[in-house]
Amino acid sequence: CRLTTPVGEQLADFPVEPKLAKCLLESWDRGCADEIVTIAAALSVKQVWAHPRGSRAAKDKLDAAMAEFAVGEGDHITLLNVMRAFDDEGSGGDPEWCSENFLQLRALKRAVEVQRQLTGYMRRIAPPGFQGARDELPSCGEDTVSLRKCLLSGYFSHAARLGPDGLYHTVRGGHVVQLHPTSVLAKFGAPPEFVVFHEYVSVGSEYIRDCSRIEGKWLTEIAP
């Protein structure tokens, strides 16, 4: 959208990339502002997992730790679970807990700070009827459909479909990509037919990172 519009001006003011800012604005209408703020904060620090080098045994332990937080819907809600679990450990974080779960304490502390900043900004741009600091940001609870539709609204150009060749093809442009090996969708279960992803990563091949399962019919519903 144009920056001369009210929505465009709000997108420009957000301290995050435009696609993620669009998700944050959309989250008011979809009732998932609390979850999107938390996910946005986790994405802002790039990597919360501590990926070990070396032995297969160490990598297997990481996979086992990730499985404790992982859900079939994909990486975004897995990150949400990580952030909530970290919050349960207290604001200072527990280094031993992070080590046991292959999580980076410094990254999670930074994500919590970003979460506070984004929450403050969301309160300032809240729609009429929201009572500022007295009200909690809207939460969708267990409704992961609304949450994933919200992500798709901002990252529509980052939707991809699994092809008969076993690779993903972006809905816009037809770029051939693969799930990043660190994605829970690559590690656990069969790959979904449709995904929405946060970013491209080029390491020899084109990979997509931070991916969530979506339904193909949502593309028609949410298309800008």
Side-chain angles (χ1 to χ4, degrees):
C1 63
R2 295 176 301 164
L3 294 184
T4 53
T5 66
V7 172
E9 291 171 355
Q10 287 181 318
L11 290 176
D13 287 342
F14 261 109
V16 294
E17 62 173 309
K19 289 183 176 64
L20 201 48
K22 176 66 166 59
C23 295
L24 288 162
L25 290 177
E26 180 76 13
S27 70
W28 285 108
D29 293 333
R30 295 194 178 273
C32 56
D34 179 69
E35 288 80 9
I36 291 293
V37 162
T38 305
I39 291 169
L43 291 173
S44 74
V45 299
K46 298 298 183 184
Q47 187 57 262
V48 302
W49 300 104
H51 291 277
R53 295 180 179 179
S55 72
R56 178 69 252 178
K59 293 178 180 177
D60 288 344
K61 288 181 180 179
L62 168 63
D63 288 351
M66 291 181 73
E68 292 297 313
F69 303 97
V71 292
E73 291 89 344
D75 298 307
H76 295 95
I77 300 173
T78 297
L79 286 173
L80 178 64
N81 290 340
V82 168
M83 290 288 288
R84 286 175 169 170
F86 183 69
D87 183 62
D88 289 342
E89 293 299 312
S91 59
D94 182 345
E96 184 176 348
W97 179 85
C98 286
S99 178
E100 290 173 354
N101 288 284
F102 287 83
L103 293 165
Q104 298 193 55
L105 177 60
R106 182 177 298 180
L108 287 170
K109 284 185 173 182
R110 174 59 184 155
V112 169
E113 181 57 34
V114 173
Q115 182 183 21
R116 291 194 189 103
Q117 294 171 1
L118 289 176
T119 298
Y121 189 84
M122 290 288 278
R123 292 186 188 283
R124 291 195 294 275
I125 65 163
F130 186 79
Q131 298 297 314
R134 292 189 298 171
D135 286 351
E136 297 292 327
L137 295 182
S139 170
C140 60
E142 301 300 316
D143 180 10
T144 67
V145 170
S146 291
L147 182 53
R148 286 177 288 146
K149 284 183 176 181
C150 187
L151 290 165
L152 180 58
S153 72
Y155 286 87
F156 189 86
S157 62
H158 282 192
R161 184 177 189 176
L162 186 64
D165 56 0
L167 301 173
Y168 281 92
H169 301 254
T170 59
V171 173
R172 285 188 176 175
H175 302 297
V176 179
V177 293
Q178 303 177 56
L179 293 174
H180 196 276
T182 59
S183 171
V184 299
L185 294 178
K187 288 178 176 291
F188 309 113
E193 182 179 3
F194 289 92
V195 296
V196 61
F197 60 94
H198 177 59
E199 63 182 358
Y200 291 97
V201 179
S202 294
V203 188
S205 300
E206 288 286 328
Y207 290 95
I208 51 177
R209 188 159 59 192
D210 297 318
C211 308
S212 283
R213 179 190 303 267
I214 60 171
E215 300 293 333
K217 61 186 178 182
W218 297 352
L219 297 170
T220 303
E221 175 188 337
I222 297 173

